[in-house]
């Protein structure tokens, strides 16, 4: 199994689990700092570490073949964390995915490839992965799983059109989508996003 940092409540004592996925060049340890801002006191936290601190080498909208090998490995790493939670007796509807940037893209992609009733998906600046979105590769039903995507309207790495396409496809798969889009050009997590998520997804 790949490196998996555990934090928060011991998983044997927790009813809810959050799988946190870091951004490019960051680490599992760094994404765990979100526990200082999000209402996750009752959660067990699982943070997988990407090989070389990167989930895939190129843009999430690069030609599919360029990211394919690394992306497949990264999706397997996320699945290991998910299956670890399941084996601890946690139900899928009590498992949340939370990611930033590359980690947000990976969160959305993994959830869409395994669509089912989840606790929620929180994507801080991200969209689904691929040169073009191909709805045929996804199946399943989110059964009203809440999915949040927050981003700048002009983020340098994540085009607004891909966020819109992702939201539309996820909604077609049965998710309840909320997008919060901002006028600034910052590649960051904003307090407004934290506040919305805490109020609506992690009350």
């Amino acid at each position: 199994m790949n490196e998996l940092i555990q934090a928060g409540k011991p998983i044997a004592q927790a009813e809810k689990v959050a799988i946190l996925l870091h951004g490019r060049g960051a680490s599992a340890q760094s994404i765990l700092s979100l526990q200082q801002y999000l209402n996750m006191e009752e959660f067990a936290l699982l943070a997988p570490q990407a090989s070389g601190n990167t989930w895939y080498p190129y843009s999430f909208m690069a030609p599919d073949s360029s990211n394919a090998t690394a992306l497949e490995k990264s999706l397997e790493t996320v699945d290991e964390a998910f299956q670890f939670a399941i084996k601890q007796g946690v139900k899928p509807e009590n498992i949340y995915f939370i990611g930033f940037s590359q980690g947000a893209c990976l969160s959305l992609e993994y959830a869409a490839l395994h669509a089912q009733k989840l606790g929620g998906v929180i994507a801080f600046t991200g969209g689904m992965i691929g040169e073009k979105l191909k709805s045929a590769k996804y199946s399943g039903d989110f059964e009203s799983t809440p999915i949040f995507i927050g981003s700048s309207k002009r983020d340098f790495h994540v085009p607004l059109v891909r966020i819109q396409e992702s939201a539309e496809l996820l909604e077609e798969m049965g998710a309840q989508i909320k997008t919060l889009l901002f006028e600034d050009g910052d590649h960051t997590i904003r307090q407004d996003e934290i506040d919305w998520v805490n109020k609506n997804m992690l009350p």
Side-chain angles (χ1 to χ4, degrees), residues 6-16 40-45:
Q6 298 185 51
K9 287 189 83 168
I11 195 164
Q13 299 170 20
E15 288 187 12
K16 296 180 178 181
M40 298 192 293
E41 295 83 1
E42 298 303 311
F43 282 69
L45 308 179

Side-chain angles (χ1 to χ4, degrees), residues 37-92:
Y37 307 98
L38 296 174
N39 294 337
M40 298 192 293
E41 295 83 1
E42 298 303 311
F43 282 69
L45 308 179
L46 303 177
Q49 174 63 49
S51 176
N53 302 91
T54 300
W55 294 112
Y56 41 88
Y58 301 103
S59 161
F60 78 118
M61 294 175 63
D64 294 348
S65 58
S66 61
N67 281 323
T69 302
L71 179 59
E72 183 177 355
K73 183 173 182 287
S74 293
L75 289 166
E76 288 173 0
T77 299
V78 179
D79 191 57
E80 284 178 3
F82 184 80
Q83 297 304 330
F84 175 72
I86 294 293
K87 286 172 185 168
Q88 301 298 315
V90 183
K91 296 177 179 176

Side-chain angles (χ1 to χ4, degrees), residues 56-159:
Y56 41 88
Y58 301 103
S59 161
F60 78 118
M61 294 175 63
D64 294 348
S65 58
S66 61
N67 281 323
T69 302
L71 179 59
E72 183 177 355
K73 183 173 182 287
S74 293
L75 289 166
E76 288 173 0
T77 299
V78 179
D79 191 57
E80 284 178 3
F82 184 80
Q83 297 304 330
F84 175 72
I86 294 293
K87 286 172 185 168
Q88 301 298 315
V90 183
K91 296 177 179 176
E93 59 262 34
N94 289 325
I95 298 177
Y96 294 67
F97 289 93
I98 303 173
F100 171 65
S101 194
Q102 254 203 355
C105 297
L106 191 62
S107 295
L108 293 169
E109 187 70 12
Y110 178 85
L113 288 167
H114 304 83
Q116 58 192 297
K117 178 67 173 174
L118 298 167
V121 182
I122 298 164
F124 294 116
T125 310
M128 292 165 70
I129 297 172
E131 185 175 14
K132 291 186 168 64
L133 291 192
K134 301 170 184 170
S135 58
K137 81 180 203 186
Y138 307 103
S139 61
D141 185 347
F142 276 115
E143 298 178 43
S144 298
T145 294
I147 296 182
F148 169 87
I149 306 174
S151 183
S152 164
K153 291 180 180 176
R154 48 196 177 88
D155 188 89
F156 183 75
H157 303 286
V158 183

Side-chain angles (χ1 to χ4, degrees), residues 124 148 150-151 182 188-197:
F124 294 116
F148 169 87
S151 183
F182 299 86
T188 188
I189 301 174
R190 299 159 189 80
Q191 188 62 48
D192 286 349
E193 297 173 75
I194 295 287
D195 292 344
W196 191 93
V197 167

Side-chain angles (χ1 to χ4, degrees), residues 167-195:
E168 189 176 312
L169 180 51
L170 293 163
E171 198 163 41
E172 288 172 2
M173 295 176 69
Q176 289 192 336
I177 299 290
K178 171 65 177 181
T179 56
L180 272 185
L181 302 170
F182 299 86
E183 296 298 335
D184 63 71
D186 301 334
H187 189 74
T188 188
I189 301 174
R190 299 159 189 80
Q191 188 62 48
D192 286 349
E193 297 173 75
I194 295 287
D195 292 344

